[in-house]
């Protein structure tokens, strides 16, 4: 039987990356934590191996993580997204899928975390799609999941809307989302809808500040087959 492909989480040392790594590792996936610093990657991987009780999490510098997988997840702050993708371009394997969770929060510049930046491309995910090599499919997902809750042990009570122009990549991202306990994955249509996912994150951040919680979203009223 072929080895299942690993998931390389670029910028995987922050709360969004470690939360996804934890949940996927517990579901049996093989994870590579990427970082700008190989030592931080390895230290984070060691902590995550202990938390997830698995040996299937390793750490590597982002380019090496990229080169080792064709299933990439990007969890870096918006201010680092473009420069990192430019640096990684030669390391990204042809035909890879890049699942982008980046939110262009105004706090990346000087504004509030409860506002997003206006981008020419429309969203951080569309910016990513302009920066990856031709033939790499960019999918937007996981913007509306609380990293705090992902890093915990309880099932989540959230839906993940996945947007992307490549149907197969969208389906793969939805399958991964559905491996997180309590998460239902929904096809959100084209990549351009990522701008709405990012706006929802800004709204959730505002709600979390106002009500002191970890809000997520549930979409109701769709037929059962819409939920994975
Ligand atoms: N936190 C949440 O609840 C949440 C939820 C949904 C989506 N998101 C989005 O997911 C992304 C990651 O969130 P996070 O909270 O995990 O962010 P973070 O802790 O600020 O950053 C994640 C990792 O990115 C790397 N990084 C930081 N600045 C960088 C730069 N300028 N260039 C390249 N790499 C850089 C760092 O890893 P190294 O120093 O090890 O390289 C850091 O540990 C953000 O775009 C965020 O908006 C977050």
């Amino acid at each position: 039987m072929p080895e299942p492909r690993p998931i390389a989480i670029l910028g995987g040392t922050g709360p969004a990356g470690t939360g996804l790594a934890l949940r996927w590792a517990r579901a049996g996936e093989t994870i590579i934590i990427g970082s700008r610093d190989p030592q931080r990657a390895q230290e984070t991987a060691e902590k995550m191996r202990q938390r997830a009780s698995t040996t299937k999490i390793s750490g590597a510098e982002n380019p090496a993580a990229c080169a080792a997988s064709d299933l990439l997840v990007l969890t870096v702050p918006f201010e680092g997204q473009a420069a990192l993708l430019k640096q990684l371009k030669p390391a990204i394997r042809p035909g890879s899928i890049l699942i982008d969770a980046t939110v262009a929060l105004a706090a990346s510049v000087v504004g509030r975390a409860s506002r997003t930046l206006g981008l020419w491309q429309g969203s951080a995910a569309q910016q990513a799609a302009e920066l990856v090599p031709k033939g790499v499919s960019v999918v937007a997902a996981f913007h509306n999941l609380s990293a705090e809750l992902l890093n915990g042990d309880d099932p989540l009570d959230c839906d993940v809307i996945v947007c992307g122009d490549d149907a197969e990549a969208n389906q793969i991202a939805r399958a991964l989302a559905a491996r997180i306990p309590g998460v239902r994955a929904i096809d959100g249509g084209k990549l351009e809808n990522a701008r709405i996912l990012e706006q929802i994150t800004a709204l959730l951040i505002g709600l979390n500040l106002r009500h002191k919680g970890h809000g997520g979203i549930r979409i109701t009223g769709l037929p059962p087959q819409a939920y994975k």
Side-chain angles (χ1 to χ4, degrees):
M1 222 168 71
E3 280 281 302
R5 58 179 173 189
I7 305 166
I9 307 182
L10 310 168
T13 55
T18 57
L20 291 169
L22 179 67
R23 299 301 181 137
W24 286 330
R26 283 180 175 161
E29 300 287 347
T30 300
I31 308 291
I32 306 167
I33 300 270
S35 168
R36 291 169 293 182
D37 175 349
Q39 195 178 336
R40 187 157 51 245
Q42 278 155 24
E43 286 167 4
T44 305
E46 169 58 23
K47 281 188 206 145
M48 302 313 296
R49 281 195 293 273
Q50 288 180 16
R51 276 217 61 200
S53 305
T54 178
T55 55
K56 297 201 295 184
I57 306 178
S58 57
E61 212 169 343
N62 286 319
C66 230
S69 176
D70 58 4
L71 184 52
L72 311 172
V73 179
L74 185 62
T75 54
V76 292
F78 175 72
E79 62 268 29
Q81 188 212 39
L84 182 63
L85 285 175
K86 282 181 196 159
Q87 183 210 341
L88 293 178
K89 198 167 183 177
I92 299 179
R93 286 158 47 168
S96 293
I97 294 171
L98 177 83
I99 304 174
D100 184 37
T102 309
V103 182
L105 294 175
S108 298
V109 192
V110 282
R112 295 181 185 176
S114 55
R115 291 179 184 157
T116 53
L117 296 169
L119 303 180
W120 285 112
Q121 294 86 346
S123 64
Q126 288 164 284
Q127 172 170 283
E130 283 189 359
L131 293 169
V132 295
K134 205 164 183 277
V136 172
S137 296
V138 174
V139 176
F142 306 114
H143 302 74
N144 309 138
L145 276 189
S146 153
E148 175 92 17
L149 298 181
L150 273 176
N151 279 288
D153 298 320
D154 295 331
L156 280 87
D157 181 17
C158 298
D159 290 337
V160 167
I161 300 175
V162 178
C163 299
D165 299 333
D166 175 338
E168 192 191 339
N170 186 314
Q171 192 273 329
I172 288 169
R174 276 182 286 139
L176 274 184
R179 303 214 70 184
I180 301 171
V183 165
R184 299 179 309 180
I186 302 170
D187 180 356
K190 287 195 161 295
L191 191 66
E192 65 179 40
N193 290 338
R195 75 193 189 285
I196 305 169
L197 300 184
E198 294 182 30
Q199 298 267 0
I200 293 172
T201 304
L203 176 68
L204 289 172
I205 290 172
L207 291 173
N208 291 343
L209 291 171
R210 188 167 308 113
H211 300 290
K212 313 219 178 313
H214 304 291
I217 57 165
R218 282 289 194 204
I219 304 295
T220 60
L222 301 178
Q225 60 272 26
Y227 303 97
K228 200 169 188 90

